[in-house]
Structure formats: C-alpha cells, structure tokens
C-alpha cells in the first residue's frame, strides 16, 4: 500500500504517495488557513480546527472516574447504564384542572416526573382577582391561588410516588406551603414528598425579574426554606440554582457557568449563617442549566460545572463526599427556537437534548416546536417527550458511561471553560460575593451586553440561523397553537377564590397571617413553617405574600440600558448608515424621535426589550426604558408625561391580546391617540390581525431583524408627519 497512488480533491492535479504524505498535506492545509479556520466564540475561547494530545497537557481531571471527586465524568458511577435520566417535562397552563389533565396524559405516555410552570400572577404573589394581573392569569403557566388549586393540580397523581419540580422564586413561600398541605391532605407526609423547589432569587434580580421583595429579605426566605426542608423534608431538594434563565437572557456559557455557581456559593453561606451543618443540606442542593446549540461546548459546560462546584464546596469542609457533588436538571434552549420554519425546532431540540445527555444531566426537559409562539399543544408536547424516549431506547447512549471522556476537543473545552468561569467567579468574590455583585449590577450588565452583541451578529448573518437569516421560506404556513382564553380562566379562578374565602374560618386565617407577619417582622422563627399554618387555614397565595410584603416591602428595579454595542458592530454596514441618516433627517424637521419601551403586566422577561432599547439608542432614537410591571394605564400616563412619539410594547408571556388594546384605549382616552403603538415579542401570526384591528400600528414577531423594525417605525413616523 505504501507505493499506491492516491488522488485528493485538495487540487485537481495533486497526487502523492500514501500514507506519509497525508501528514505533509494536512500540515500545509492547516498552516495556510489556520487563522481563517479558528472560531472566535462569544465566551472568548478560540476553537481550533484540530485538537491533539498536546492540548491536554496539564489537564488534571483526565484520570478521574464517574462518581468520584471532582465528578467531571458524572455524579454517579454507572450513570445512565444504571438508570436513565429522568424525563421531566415542564408544563402548566390555564386552570389547575386543565394542567392536571395534561400531566396525567404525559405520565401515561412515558414521562417520569413533573415540572410545574406557574402563571406570572402566581409568581409575583398576586391572587387571580388582583387588578394588576388581568392579562396574566393562566397565560404562561397554571394559576394557583390556594391549597384547593394545588389539590386539584395533583388530583389522581400520587405524591408519595411522584417527584415534583416547581419553578417558583418570588412567591416561593406560599406555593411551597400550599404544596406541603396538599400533600398532607392527599395522605403524603412532608417527609415523604420528593422533588425540587427552584427557590433561586438571585438570578431573578439578574435576569428573570419575577421577584417580590428586596434582596436581603429574599435571601432570608431562601435560607428559611433550606432550614425547614433539611429538618422536615429529607427527600426534597430545597433549591435549584438556575443558570437557565441567564443563558435565555443572553449570557455566554462562561457567564452562565460562573454566575450560577457563584449564586450557589452565596446560598450555602446563607444556610450556614442559619447555623446549619453543611452536610445537612448540601446533598439536597440542585442546579438547572440551559442547553443551547453549541453542541460540544454545552456538554463540556456540564462537566466543568461539576468540577468547579466540587472545588467550591471543599471550602466549606463537608464530611460527606455527596456534599461535593453537583446534580443538575437541564432544559433545551427556548431562545434557539424560532417562529420561522418552526419544524426546524424539532431538530434543534434533539441536538440540544443529546448534548445534555452526553454532558451527564440527571433530568431533562425538551422544548416543543411551537414554544417560540405559544404554550405547547398535545401534538408538539408528544414530539418533545418522544425525543427523550428515542434517545433513551434507540440510540445506545445509555449503554456507556461518559462516552465523550478522553476527547481531545471536549476535555480541552472542559478545562478552558472551567478556567474562564473560575476567573469570573473570583471577580464576583472580589466584589464581596454574589449579593453585592447583583446590587452593583455587574452580572446584569455583562449579560445584556452579550445579548445585544449576539443580536447584532444574527442580524448581520454572521451567526447563521436556518430559516431565519438564511434558507428562509418565501411563504410560511400557520401551525396550530394552544390558545388560552384568559378571561374565562380568570373568571373561574375568581369564582373558586370566592368559594374558598366563604368556606374558611376567617378568625383562623387572621391569626395565622398575623403569626406569619410577626415572624417576618421579628426576624426570628421560620417563614415557611408559619406559612404552612396559614395555607392550612386556607389563606391565599396573595394573602400570604402580602403578610410578608407588609414587613419586607416590594423590590423595584431601575431600568438601565447598555449602549455602543449594536452600533459599533454595524459600523461599516451601508444599510445601517442609511437608517441612521434617515432618522437624523427626520429629526431635523420634527425633532429627535423618542420611543418608550414598555413592559406591561407581570412579564419580567426583558431580554428583547433591553436589546431593542440598546440598539435603537445606537441608531439615534431617544430611548425611555419603562419600568417593569406597568399597567396599560400607567404606561399611557408615562408616555404622555415624557412626550414620546412611539410606545413599543414588548410581550413574551402571551398577554398581548389583552394588554395592547388596553394601552391603545388608555392613550386615546387621555387625548394621546397620536402616539404610535407597536408590539414585539413572542406573538403568533394568528394574532397579528387582531392587534392591528385594535389600534396597534405594527407587530414585530420572533426573529425580527432590528434594522427591519427600525425602518418600519421610521416609515410610520414619516407617514404621520406627512398626514399632519
């Protein structure tokens, strides 16, 4: 074979003697195009086209085994060869009855654990009859107002046998209290309850914004829950420290990794300050990461997370090896899902799921193809669930423990991610820890900068998204989506609230709420313990939240907008310069246009709003970032006082059909019908006509190019100017 002639497609007339000349050719190719082939990632990691054993020199985790510190290869010795990961689909919508029926169908079809999504009214500690939540009830999750709702939610689902995860942070005290009482009344003691409560408030202040109270009392709540569950609920995870929402808000993988683990370190310190022994609670801490489309880096991220958490926990000198172990749930990315050509989302989710599994997750949620537009239908939820079943039963990935171990590329990525994340963790430490870093605004600022820069790359097609900025269909067919009748859900919830209040003992409710307020005021006692008694007396989620609000107050964040990120990324782009010039010309004749970016209802997801505010500021608009959680009436008042020409309402939580028309009507009622109202965000195409018929001037759905939106708004302003 050594003298056999081999043809190569490197050039039309090249032949050489194999195998010796293969090395020469390869070296020549790589040397000539090495820089061109390097991938400069958002994480600051330069990915080479070729990795060899030399890249693993100095990497010290290579000889470790699964189930052994530092757990890079997995927290369990046999991993999926012993037991597959838990299929834990995140779901909840409408009423408790509707969600219960959905859960039971999924469990019958192979799902192994529950993960509950609550609506935004519940997250923010409001009962469904509160005037501030008219557009939010039942829309982005299930509405829960009392123990009675919680009992219906789990009707026919044995809590002695079923592990339940609950994504709840702001109203975590009344929700967990209601769950405990519902379990007891089903015949399951609190010691028998298994599952996880998210209880991660620091990331709410950074990115997700479903907080209620200021940081200090919020951290007390976290510590009280860790204390209570450590003593009373040995099978229950007291906290799920979440990086998922950071990546969804735009964080790089290094930022997600560093800030999540820094949050975890802060929570451990808070629990130790309560006098708890680290081994009494460390084994019940869990984590929650997003899995996006950077396939190998996402798998490496989970491996690096276990390495770094083991290092962090060693600081606290636990005696049990399990206290050093990071366990995690993962969810495929919501941001990677696209409205355009949505069946591509099935493929994206499958790759992300495989990445999570190869990284060693303990449980997994796979997103449905339609979640860029609405909550999943039964049809899309079945595909999402079956994605995991096929992975478990047809691919063979459960047969081998840590199949990526030893990969030059993955092991090098694991080491580099860990190194860069550790440097950021140390930066947080130098600021005094994560609570102080959050107060300083460092994590939020870095994440918003990363989100804006990525949007610029997508808009310039430097980062390809199939079906969005390349290979786009000329005509898109509508797909069936799950529509929630917000009005009927709210009416049903109000009716049940009235029934609960009518049947309960008012004196008992008053006594238990007074006892909870005393615990909050005095700083002594356990908030969750007191709330369990209030929930048992049928105090509502809103009443329990308000009992603590009276002592702790509400947290109100001041919106800030980063600048000089989107514009510089477009500095030499002719289209960008044309839009900037058009806006400047408009300003000469009509004054610099002012746009207010508004978030209405209880939707705290502000990535899109912040990106638009930042980009539009760079383009030349005067931008006013409205506060979170406004009512339409409040937004209209602010728009008039600030003399804005345009209000851009950002909606990511399905409240647009209720809130946008109310905003238009509020402006008209105040004599400001000349203010242009546009709406952007997660809005199904089926809703565009409804919004336009109700006074909205333009709708910008998921995946809209920022420059296209700016051009359309300038067109609207110029049209108004001509018609005046």
């Amino acid at each position: 074979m050594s003298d056999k002639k081999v043809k190569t497609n490197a050039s039309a007339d090249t032949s050489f003697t194999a195998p010796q000349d293969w090395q020469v050719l390869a070296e020549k190719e790589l040397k000539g195009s090495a820089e061109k082939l390097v991938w400069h990632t958002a994480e600051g990691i330069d990915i080479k086209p070729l990795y060899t054993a030399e890249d693993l020199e100095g990497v010290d985790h290579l000889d470790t085994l699964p189930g052994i510190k530092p757990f890079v290869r997995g927290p369990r010795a046999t991993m999926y060869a012993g037991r597959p990961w838990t299929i834990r689909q995140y779901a909840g919508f409408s009423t408790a009855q509707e969600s219960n029926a959905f859960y039971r169908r999924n469990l019958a079809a192979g799902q192994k654990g529950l993960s509950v999504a609550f609506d935004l009214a519940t997250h923010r500690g409001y009962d469904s009859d509160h005037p501030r939540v008219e557009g939010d009830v039942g829309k982005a999750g299930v509405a829960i107002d009392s123990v009675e709702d919680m009992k219906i939610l789990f009707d026919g689902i044995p809590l002695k046998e079923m592990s339940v995860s609950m994504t709840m942070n702001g109203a975590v005290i009344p929700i967990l209290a209601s769950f405990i009482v519902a379990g007891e009344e089903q015949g399951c003691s609190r010691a028998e309850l298994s599952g996880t409560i998210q209880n991660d408030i620091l990331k709410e202040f950074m990115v997700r914004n479903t907080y209620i109270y200021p940081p200090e009392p919020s951290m007390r709540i976290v510590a009280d829950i860790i204390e209570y569950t450590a003593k009373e609920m040995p099978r229950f995870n007291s906290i799920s420290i979440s990086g998922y929402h950071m990546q969804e808000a735009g964080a790089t993988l290094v930022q997600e990794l560093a800030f999540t683990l820094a949050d975890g370190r802060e929570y451990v310190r808070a629990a130790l300050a309560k006098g708890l022994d680290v081994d009494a609670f460390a084994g019940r801490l869990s984590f929650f990461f997003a899995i996006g489309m950077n396939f190998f880096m996402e798998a490496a991220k989970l491996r690096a997370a276990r390495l770094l958490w083991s290092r962090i926990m060693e600081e606290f000198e636990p005696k049990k090896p399990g206290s050093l172990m990071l366990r995690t749930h993962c969810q495929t990315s919501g941001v990677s899902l696209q409205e355009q050509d949505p069946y591509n989302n099935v493929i994206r989710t499958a790759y992300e799921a495989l990445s999570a599994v190869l990284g060693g997750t303990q449980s997994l949620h796979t997103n449905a193809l339609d979640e860029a537009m609405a909550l999943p239908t039964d049809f899309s939820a079945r595909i999402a669930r079956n994605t995991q079943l096929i992975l478990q039963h047809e691919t063979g990935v459960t047969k081998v423990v840590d199949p990526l171990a030893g990969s030059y590329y993955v092991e090098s990525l694991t080491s580099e991610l860990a190194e860069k994340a550790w440097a950021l963790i140390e930066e947080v430490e130098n600021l005094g820890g994560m609570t102080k870093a959050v107060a300083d605004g460092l994590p939020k600022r870095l994440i918003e900068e990363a989100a804006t820069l990525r949007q610029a790359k997508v808009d310039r097609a430097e980062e390809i998204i199939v079906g969005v900025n390349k290979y786009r269909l000329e005509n898109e067919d509508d797909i069936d989506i799950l529509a929630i009748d917000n009005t009927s859900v709210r009416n049903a919830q109000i009716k049940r609230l009235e029934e609960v209040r009518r049947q309960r003992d008012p004196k008992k409710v008053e006594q238990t709420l007074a006892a909870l307020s005393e615990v909050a005021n005095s700083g002594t006692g356990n908030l969750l313990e007191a709330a369990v008694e209030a929930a048992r007396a049928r105090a509502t989620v809103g009443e329990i939240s308000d009992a603590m609000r009276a002592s702790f107050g509400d947290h109100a964040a001041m919106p800030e907008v980063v600048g000089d990120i989107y514009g510089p990324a477009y500095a030499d782009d002719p289209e960008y310069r044309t839009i900037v010039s058009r806006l400047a010309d408009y300003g000469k004749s009509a004054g610099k246009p002012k746009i207010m970016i508004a978030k209405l209802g209880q939707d705290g997801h502000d990535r899109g709003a912040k990106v638009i505010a930042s980009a539009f500021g760079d383009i030349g608009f005067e931008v006013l970032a409205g506060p979170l959680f406004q009512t339409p009436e409040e937004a209209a008042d602010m728009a008039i006082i600030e003399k804005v020409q345009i209000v851009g309402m950002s909606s990511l939580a399905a409240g647009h059909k209720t809130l946008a028309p109310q905003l238009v009507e509020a402006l008209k009622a105040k004599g400001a019908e000349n203010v242009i109202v546009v709406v952007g965000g997660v809005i199904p195409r089926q809703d565009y006509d409804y919004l336009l018929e109700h006074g909205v001037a333009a709708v910008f759905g998921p995946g809209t190019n920022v420059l296209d939106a700016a051009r359309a708004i300038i067109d609207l302003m110029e049209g108004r100017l001509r018609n005046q």
Side-chain angles (χ1 to χ4, degrees):
M1 184 175 176
S2 62
D3 57 359
K4 181 181 178 181
K5 296 294 182 179
V6 179
K7 288 286 185 179
T8 176
N9 62 4
S11 64
D13 58 356
T14 300
S15 63
F16 53 91
T17 302
Q20 292 87 350
D21 286 347
W22 280 101
Q23 180 70 24
V24 174
L25 178 64
E27 289 178 355
K28 183 179 179 181
E29 275 190 9
L30 289 173
K31 185 176 181 180
S33 58
E35 177 58 31
K36 183 175 68 175
L37 294 174
V38 170
W39 173 20
H40 305 287
T41 73
E43 290 72 21
I45 297 174
D46 289 342
I47 305 298
K48 303 182 300 180
L50 178 67
Y51 284 76
T52 68
E54 292 180 359
D55 292 290
L56 300 186
E57 291 179 4
V59 176
D60 57 8
H61 68 257
L62 298 175
D63 295 330
T64 61
L65 293 172
I68 297 175
K69 189 183 77 170
F71 307 104
V72 175
R73 299 190 62 186
R76 304 295 182 193
T78 58
M79 286 301 291
Y80 309 140
R83 188 181 74 180
W85 67 92
T86 300
I87 300 172
R88 189 185 300 279
Q89 292 299 89
Y90 178 57
F93 60 93
S94 186
T95 62
Q97 293 98 322
E98 290 285 335
S99 291
N100 173 263
F102 187 81
Y103 295 158
R104 291 169 74 168
R105 290 194 298 271
N106 283 1
L107 292 170
Q111 184 172 313
K112 298 301 182 184
L114 292 179
S115 183
V116 181
F118 298 96
D119 72 359
L120 290 169
T122 305
H123 272 288
R124 294 267 295 143
Y126 293 115
D127 289 332
S128 296
D129 58 355
H130 197 285
R132 299 195 72 86
V133 300
E134 184 178 350
D136 299 298
V137 177
K139 294 294 285 187
V142 60
I144 297 293
D145 291 316
S146 72
V147 170
E148 293 304 314
D149 286 333
M150 196 70 80
K151 288 169 69 175
I152 294 169
L153 187 66
F154 298 111
D155 182 43
I157 299 173
L159 293 177
K160 280 187 179 181
E161 304 168 16
M162 184 59 57
S163 173
V164 177
S165 173
M166 292 181 287
T167 299
M168 178 53 64
N169 303 281
V172 62
I173 288 286
I175 285 299
L176 186 50
S178 297
F179 176 71
I180 290 168
V181 174
E184 290 175 349
E185 295 186 6
Q186 195 192 82
C188 177
S189 71
R190 65 189 69 171
E192 295 174 301
L193 290 168
S194 64
T196 303
I197 189 78
Q198 192 162 97
N199 192 29
D200 175 8
I201 201 63
L202 287 175
K203 68 96 174 44
E204 299 294 334
F205 294 120
M206 276 187 268
V207 292
R208 190 163 174 260
N209 300 314
T210 53
Y211 45 68
I212 300 174
Y213 316 109
E216 188 174 339
S218 295
M219 287 296 291
R220 178 187 168 192
I221 287 171
V222 171
D224 276 13
I225 289 172
I226 293 174
E227 178 186 51
Y228 183 92
T229 53
K231 295 176 180 176
E232 304 286 341
M233 303 171 71
R235 300 179 62 201
F236 202 82
N237 296 326
S238 55
I239 191 168
S240 175
I241 305 150
S242 174
Y244 182 88
H245 304 94
M246 298 179 198
Q247 187 180 137
E248 292 291 280
T252 68
L253 271 62
V254 165
Q255 291 168 352
E256 179 192 7
L257 189 56
F259 295 146
T260 304
L261 298 183
D263 280 352
R265 179 190 253 167
E266 197 84 340
Y267 294 137
V268 171
R269 288 170 174 160
L272 294 175
K274 296 282 293 184
L276 295 176
D277 180 85
V278 66
D279 287 315
F281 65 87
R284 302 255 59 90
L285 304 178
S286 67
F287 288 80
F288 175 29
F289 288 103
I291 303 295
M293 287 298 289
N294 193 341
F295 184 87
F296 289 106
M297 192 178 285
E298 289 287 7
K301 179 186 74 182
L302 298 185
R303 305 171 94 248
R306 292 190 289 269
L307 172 69
L308 293 179
W309 186 244
S310 176
R311 182 187 301 176
I312 286 171
M313 288 305 295
E314 282 183 327
E315 301 170 7
F316 304 109
E317 301 179 349
K319 303 296 187 297
K320 297 178 181 178
S323 296
L324 303 171
M325 186 191 301
L326 180 145
R327 290 155 293 268
T328 190
H329 171 72
C330 289
Q331 180 173 337
T332 59
S333 172
V335 167
S336 72
L337 302 177
Q338 305 298 328
E339 179 201 35
Q340 296 83 0
D341 207 357
Y343 290 105
N344 289 339
N345 293 334
V346 177
I347 303 160
R348 294 183 177 105
T349 293
Y351 283 129
E352 291 169 348
L354 178 58
S355 177
V357 168
L358 292 177
T361 188
Q362 280 62 71
S363 67
L364 180 62
H365 166 93
T366 34
N367 285 331
L369 67 95
D370 47 3
E371 287 188 66
M373 297 155 275
L375 292 168
T377 62
D378 278 2
F379 171 77
S380 64
R382 174 174 164 269
I383 294 172
R385 181 182 61 251
N386 286 353
T387 299
Q388 296 198 53
L389 291 171
I390 289 167
L391 273 177
Q392 287 189 351
H393 296 290
E394 297 186 29
T395 64
V397 294
T398 60
K399 306 300 183 185
V400 177
V401 179
D402 192 21
L404 292 184
S407 160
Y408 299 142
Y409 178 37
V410 173
E411 297 291 13
S412 178
L413 272 181
T414 300
S415 180
E416 193 157 2
L417 277 168
E419 180 181 344
K420 287 187 176 296
W422 188 253
L424 188 50
I425 290 170
E426 290 295 278
E427 184 177 347
V428 168
E429 280 295 284
N430 291 335
L431 286 172
M434 202 59 181
T435 303
K436 291 185 178 178
V438 167
D440 181 66
L442 172 72
K444 194 174 189 70
R445 184 169 62 252
L446 292 180
I447 290 170
E448 289 175 3
E449 289 174 357
T452 305
L453 184 58
R454 181 173 187 262
Q455 185 63 48
K457 289 182 176 180
V458 170
D459 287 351
R460 288 174 61 91
E462 293 174 3
E463 187 171 322
I464 300 300
I465 301 177
V466 174
V468 177
N469 58 12
K470 198 169 184 179
Y471 312 112
R472 185 159 183 172
L473 294 174
E474 288 187 16
N475 298 299
E476 296 269 357
D477 294 329
D478 289 339
I479 65 170
D480 291 334
I481 62 169
L482 179 65
I484 304 297
D485 184 343
N486 168 241
T487 301
S488 65
V489 173
R490 187 166 186 256
N491 288 340
Q493 288 299 120
I494 291 173
K495 183 178 179 181
R496 188 154 52 250
L497 268 169
E498 291 171 348
E499 185 177 345
V500 167
R501 289 168 179 154
R502 186 170 59 251
Q503 293 180 350
R504 68 189 184 181
D505 180 347
K507 187 174 181 180
K508 186 67 173 175
V509 172
E510 184 179 345
Q511 289 173 343
T512 56
L513 289 175
L516 174 60
S517 293
E518 176 58 26
V519 171
N521 278 319
S522 67
T524 60
N526 187 285
L527 291 164
L528 179 55
E529 184 177 14
V532 167
E533 296 308 312
R536 185 174 286 117
R538 293 316 189 257
T540 66
V541 167
E543 290 166 340
I544 293 172
S545 298
D546 286 346
M548 293 185 290
R549 267 192 178 101
S551 298
F552 299 153
D554 283 282
H555 178 67
M558 295 299 295
E560 297 180 4
V561 178
V562 299
D564 295 323
I565 295 172
Y566 192 92
Y570 263 96
D572 300 321
D573 187 270
E575 184 183 8
Y576 178 79
R577 291 201 303 271
T578 298
I579 290 175
V580 171
S581 178
R582 277 187 67 192
L583 191 63
D585 289 342
Y586 175 90
K588 291 174 185 176
S589 58
K592 187 174 184 178
K594 188 172 185 179
I595 183 170
M596 173 180 166
I597 308 299
K599 292 291 295 182
L600 306 186
Q602 301 307 305
D603 173 17
H605 299 81
D606 62 352
R607 172 184 177 152
K610 289 294 184 67
V611 166
I612 289 294
S614 177
F616 272 44
D618 287 356
I619 289 168
F621 286 88
E622 183 179 351
V623 177
L624 171 65
L628 293 171
F629 315 127
Q630 283 188 312
T631 65
E633 187 83 10
E634 290 165 347
D637 286 339
M638 177 172 279
I640 293 167
I641 291 169
E642 296 290 340
K643 299 179 180 178
V644 305
Q645 288 80 51
I646 314 104
V647 175
M649 173 184 157
S650 173
S651 175
L652 275 78
H656 50 272
K657 289 179 70 174
T658 300
L659 298 171
Q662 288 181 356
L663 173 61
V664 171
E665 289 304 315
L667 287 166
K668 284 182 180 178
K670 298 172 188 296
E673 60 273 4
N674 61 315
V675 175
I676 298 169
V677 175
V678 299
V679 179
V682 180
I683 303 168
R685 287 186 196 149
Q686 293 92 316
D687 293 350
Y688 286 15
D689 288 344
Y690 178 90
L691 294 175
L692 296 173
E693 290 165 2
H694 285 77
V696 172
V699 181
F700 304 108
T704 298
N705 184 294
V706 170
L707 294 189
D708 290 342
R711 188 185 302 105
I713 288 174
I714 294 172
D715 289 344
L716 288 169
M717 293 190 304
E718 290 176 342
R720 288 283 178 96
L721 189 62
R722 285 193 299 270
N723 294 327
Q724 285 179 353

